[in-house]
Amino acid sequence: MSIFSDKLKEYMKQKNEKVYSLSQMCDISRANMYKIVQGTRHPANVEMVYRIADALGLSPYEKRGLIESYQITMIGKDIYEERSYIVHLISSLKKHRNLPVEWGQSKENPETQGKKKFLYGKKNVNGEIRKIIKREAQKESGKICVIGQPDYAFIQQMLISYCENKNVEIQHIICMESRENGERNTYNLSNFTHILPFLISECKYKAYYYYDNVQSHFYNLNLLPCVIVAGDEVIQGTSDYEYAIYDCSRERVNVFHKMFQDFLKRTSKIFRISQNLEEAGRWISMHKIDAVLSCDYAGYLFMEKWKGKTAKNLKIFISEEETKDASFNKWKIEEEKRDSWRDSLLEKKGKSCKIHSELFPVPENFLMLTETGGNILLIFEKENQNWGVLEIYETSIKKSMYQFLENLDKSLLAEHL
């Protein structure tokens, strides 16, 4: 018995379908279909699961449920959940749209202007946060320091909307869960997914981490764990941003600035990002690549262009077999060299795998590389023909993404090429 076989039996009962008739419709032997239904054997690949789903006439919702049960059966629930975060993360590396923001002069209550304020309710707290960010973004050179988890969407939206393409440095300290051996890593991956919009944007954003018990640090009666310091202002709030204290006393704000910088010394960078493809090329030339993930073969050829060393068992994962000229041009691959690199690629055909695009829509102009030392590089297209070249430093995220690419198994693959 397995999760997949239980789900399959459920749908067969609903559709009043028997093993023999289902095996005929799916072009699978009756004996093998019986073993699949009983859970003593699993479908050879995800394409077979799609055939079974179509034969049963499942709705899109039911089909997703059957495929999900197959993936969990093949790799386990914990790994499936962790991998789902990474698939969502990679699929989200696309161009973004900013929220419209108001740049006019904010109206202040003369009685509270320039004074310490106690704020109640998200509407009031959010309003004060927005004004602080806006005032700092209007400066010639600004700096905003944040301590808090990245899952509060309002702060993220305001920072990106007001600070993108502005001379404002954003420093963000985030608490990560320490990961023991065998413990799943969905929380840290979730944090990384939440800061993704900053990486796609043109903000001067830097994120740092430290390890602690997040629940006890932010949510168990720790009164005001979230802090935003900008210029001569500070706001300190609860983890749900229902209550906060605003202060603009120079002496007290300076104390918060000093505390933040002292705290920063005890943290580490989560990532390093640049906008230069040559930076990616230098990284490739210095490492031994063991796995490549790209929308098409142009990403692989970009690696070849920089004469990157490859492991003996190099794995190449793509979602589109056809590589268009536009893709070659994006990766700046010279036209006269494309055919010779195609010949080089033919030698590695046995190690190439096509990913099922419905299960994992790899973005265009995206490249993910892992190297034998466990390091990760992500390259993706941003707006205005800019690139993001992202090297991940935080250990648990790096390890999860490395394992994801090294173990892209048949539950996501359409076929071996």
Side-chain angles (χ1 to χ4, degrees):
M1 299 292 289
S2 68
I3 294 174
F4 174 75
S5 64
D6 287 344
K7 181 65 73 173
L8 179 56
K9 284 180 181 178
E10 177 189 329
Y11 287 144
M12 288 176 67
K13 185 177 180 179
Q14 287 180 11
K15 308 296 179 181
N16 195 25
E17 201 64 68
K18 305 299 182 185
V19 172
Y20 178 68
S21 58
L22 186 60
S23 67
Q24 285 187 315
M25 288 187 289
C26 297
D27 194 23
I28 300 172
S29 72
R30 183 177 182 178
N32 283 340
M33 182 59 79
Y34 179 80
K35 291 177 183 177
I36 290 172
V37 173
Q38 294 303 314
T40 58
R41 181 171 182 168
H42 304 308
N45 51 49
V46 74
E47 288 296 329
M48 187 179 289
V49 182
Y50 270 93
R51 291 212 309 271
I52 293 172
D54 290 338
L56 288 170
L58 299 184
S59 68
Y61 174 79
E62 292 170 329
K63 186 184 290 187
R64 281 196 300 272
L66 188 64
I67 292 167
E68 182 180 273
S69 68
Y70 171 71
Q71 293 177 312
I72 292 173
T73 297
M74 297 302 293
I75 61 177
K77 187 175 180 180
D78 287 351
I79 297 175
Y80 171 77
E81 289 180 357
E82 192 169 295
R83 194 177 69 181
S84 296
Y85 271 99
I86 297 174
V87 168
H88 172 69
L89 188 152
I90 292 173
S91 303
S92 302
L93 284 169
K94 299 174 182 177
K95 297 175 182 178
H96 76 291
R97 296 178 64 183
N98 257 351
L99 290 174
V101 292
E102 181 268 319
W103 284 100
Q105 189 71 28
S106 301
K107 291 183 179 180
E108 297 283 351
N109 184 340
E111 294 183 3
T112 60
Q113 190 173 4
K115 296 181 180 179
K116 188 174 185 177
K117 290 185 278 189
F118 297 91
L119 306 166
Y120 307 95
K122 282 187 180 178
K123 182 178 179 181
N124 292 325
V125 175
N126 287 349
E128 202 64 48
I129 290 172
R130 183 186 67 81
K131 287 186 281 188
I132 291 173
I133 293 172
K134 184 177 79 168
R135 282 192 286 264
E136 196 66 15
Q138 289 174 319
K139 296 178 181 178
E140 238 179 78
S141 180
K143 186 175 182 180
I144 299 174
C145 304
V146 181
I147 297 177
Q149 300 309 86
D151 55 356
Y152 192 56
F154 179 81
I155 293 178
Q156 176 203 94
Q157 292 166 357
M158 291 299 99
L159 286 170
I160 294 175
S161 298
Y162 279 109
C163 301
E164 187 167 33
N165 294 312
K166 299 284 184 179
N167 190 24
V168 181
E169 182 183 357
I170 303 168
Q171 293 183 332
H172 190 177
I173 295 177
I174 298 168
C175 180
M176 294 286 197
E177 287 280 7
S178 59
R179 185 186 184 190
E180 304 297 334
N181 289 335
E183 186 182 341
R184 64 182 182 175
N185 185 35
T186 53
Y187 183 79
N188 290 351
L189 285 170
S190 174
N191 278 339
F192 194 69
T193 302
H194 285 305
I195 67 174
L196 198 65
F198 288 107
L199 309 185
I200 303 170
S201 74
E202 299 299 332
C203 288
K204 295 180 178 179
Y205 176 81
K206 296 178 181 178
Y208 304 83
Y209 71 94
Y210 65 97
Y211 292 120
D212 200 350
N213 185 308
V214 176
Q215 183 66 34
S216 64
H217 187 75
F218 278 93
Y219 303 107
N220 290 349
L221 300 178
N222 197 343
L223 291 179
L224 300 170
C226 304
V227 180
I228 300 175
V229 191
D232 296 328
E233 301 175 277
V234 61
I235 188 166
Q236 189 176 13
T238 56
S239 57
D240 59 3
Y241 293 92
E242 286 285 353
Y243 305 94
I245 298 173
Y246 167 86
D247 203 342
C248 56
S249 160
R250 184 179 296 274
E251 183 179 354
R252 289 191 288 268
V253 172
N254 284 341
V255 170
F256 275 97
H257 276 295
K258 187 178 184 306
M259 289 170 60
F260 185 91
Q261 294 307 315
D262 288 343
F263 196 7
L264 199 62
K265 294 173 184 176
R266 303 196 296 273
T267 65
S268 303
K269 288 183 179 180
I270 296 178
F271 62 85
R272 183 176 71 88
I273 190 166
S274 68
Q275 296 185 353
N276 195 335
L277 280 182
E278 291 185 0
E279 186 81 13
R282 283 191 288 272
W283 189 93
I284 291 169
S285 64
M286 294 168 58
H287 293 88
K288 192 173 186 179
I289 310 301
D290 57 9
V292 179
L293 170 65
S294 182
C295 179
D296 53 32
Y297 283 120
Y300 163 77
L301 297 179
F302 175 80
M303 182 198 71
E304 285 277 304
K305 171 182 176 178
W306 289 92
K307 305 186 186 306
K309 296 178 182 178
T310 58
K312 188 176 180 180
N313 59 341
L314 173 71
K315 299 175 184 177
I316 304 167
F317 300 101
I318 60 165
S319 58
E320 301 290 339
E321 285 187 72
E322 181 184 358
T323 304
K324 299 176 182 178
D325 286 339
S327 186
F328 284 126
N329 294 336
K330 277 286 182 184
W331 291 100
K332 299 181 179 179
I333 297 172
E334 295 85 346
E335 189 171 349
E336 63 274 10
K337 295 184 179 180
R338 292 172 189 175
D339 290 336
S340 62
W341 281 333
R342 283 194 183 99
D343 294 338
S344 167
L345 184 61
L346 288 173
E347 299 174 8
K348 298 182 174 65
K349 267 285 188 180
K351 300 168 187 174
S352 299
C353 302
K354 187 173 184 294
I355 298 168
H356 202 294
S357 57
E358 187 175 322
L359 297 177
F360 184 10
V362 181
E364 292 182 2
N365 306 318
F366 168 84
L367 178 61
M368 177 177 174
L369 301 169
T370 64
E371 58 92 31
T372 51
N375 292 306
I376 307 289
L377 189 73
L378 301 180
I379 309 170
F380 53 94
E381 186 182 20
K382 300 171 72 173
E383 290 192 352
N384 302 321
Q385 298 184 335
N386 290 330
W387 289 87
V389 180
L390 178 67
E391 187 173 3
I392 299 168
Y393 292 148
E394 198 278 325
T395 305
S396 67
I397 298 171
K398 188 165 64 171
K399 184 176 180 181
S400 293
M401 298 192 79
Y402 184 88
Q403 291 175 339
F404 166 80
L405 201 52
E406 285 297 288
N407 300 300
L408 265 180
D409 58 17
K410 55 192 175 185
S411 65
L412 267 184
L413 300 180
E415 58 184 318
H416 291 269
L417 301 175

